[in-house]
Amino acid sequence: MRNYDLEFLKRFSMVIGLLGLVTLGLILLASHLHGRIPPEVSPTAAKRTAERIAPAGAVYAGDTGAAAQAAAAAAAAAKAASQVAYGGTTDGSVIFQNLCGACHSGGVGGAPTLDRGHWNARIAQGTDTLYKHAIEGFTGSAGVMPPKGGNPALTDEQVQATVDWMISNLK
């Protein structure tokens, strides 16, 4: 071997050794940092803790407390009603005109229009299947039906009323 080959091997060995030490140092640092991360709290343990520290009851003093309780219940009911689509109506024509008609009137994306020819095979599967596909969504060979027509604020009853309206208005 020549002298410059030996010199290269010495330097190459030192570089490889240094890289090995850096790698070992990074592994030890990562191990140390991983040990310092607190373990995740399981959801069941968090639920048990929340149940354990929950207040046992509430104090309602006289008429003032009863009035506050009634007002809170009314506010909660109003908030729930405001989050339901179309004011909670179960009039299928209103929901169809405002939501479903965008696809089902013109057959957008393979949606069946209100023609008996498009619906006979679907109706043969039963209304429970139609309800399920309308509520949960469905991907078929002709297109995609998004869950609740793409409006998650619709209730199941509103979707069922709209499906019933569509079936009763087939041409």
Side-chain angles (χ1 to χ4, degrees):
M1 277 187 146
R2 295 191 183 133
N3 194 21
Y4 54 66
D5 288 338
L6 289 175
E7 189 66 29
F8 170 77
L9 285 175
K10 283 183 192 176
R11 291 185 185 200
F12 183 75
S13 298
M14 288 184 352
V15 168
I16 294 296
L18 179 66
L19 288 175
L21 287 174
V22 168
T23 302
L24 183 62
L26 289 173
I27 290 171
L28 291 174
L29 177 66
S31 175
H32 172 71
L33 291 176
H34 180 70
R36 294 181 50 122
I37 297 174
E40 291 186 31
V41 178
S42 72
T44 55
K47 183 179 176 185
R48 284 192 313 252
T49 302
E51 289 172 356
R52 191 174 59 244
I53 64 173
V59 177
Y60 297 102
D63 292 335
T64 306
Q69 186 178 17
K79 182 179 178 185
S82 70
Q83 293 176 350
V84 175
Y86 307 112
T89 184
T90 55
D91 183 0
S93 65
V94 171
I95 298 170
F96 181 85
Q97 290 170 0
N98 288 308
L99 178 67
C100 308
C103 296
H104 287 283
S105 291
V108 175
T113 59
L114 295 180
D115 297 326
R116 281 222 176 263
H118 290 134
W119 284 89
N120 286 336
R122 291 173 174 86
I123 292 172
Q125 296 175 354
T127 55
D128 289 337
T129 303
L130 291 175
Y131 294 154
K132 180 181 178 194
H133 290 172
I135 292 169
E136 297 175 6
F138 179 74
T139 301
S141 60
V144 176
M145 170 66 188
K148 296 186 178 182
N151 187 347
L154 285 173
T155 64
D156 292 353
E157 292 78 22
Q158 288 176 305
V159 174
Q160 290 176 358
T162 306
V163 169
D164 291 338
W165 182 89
M166 290 172 69
I167 292 171
S168 67
N169 286 287
L170 293 176
K171 298 173 189 165

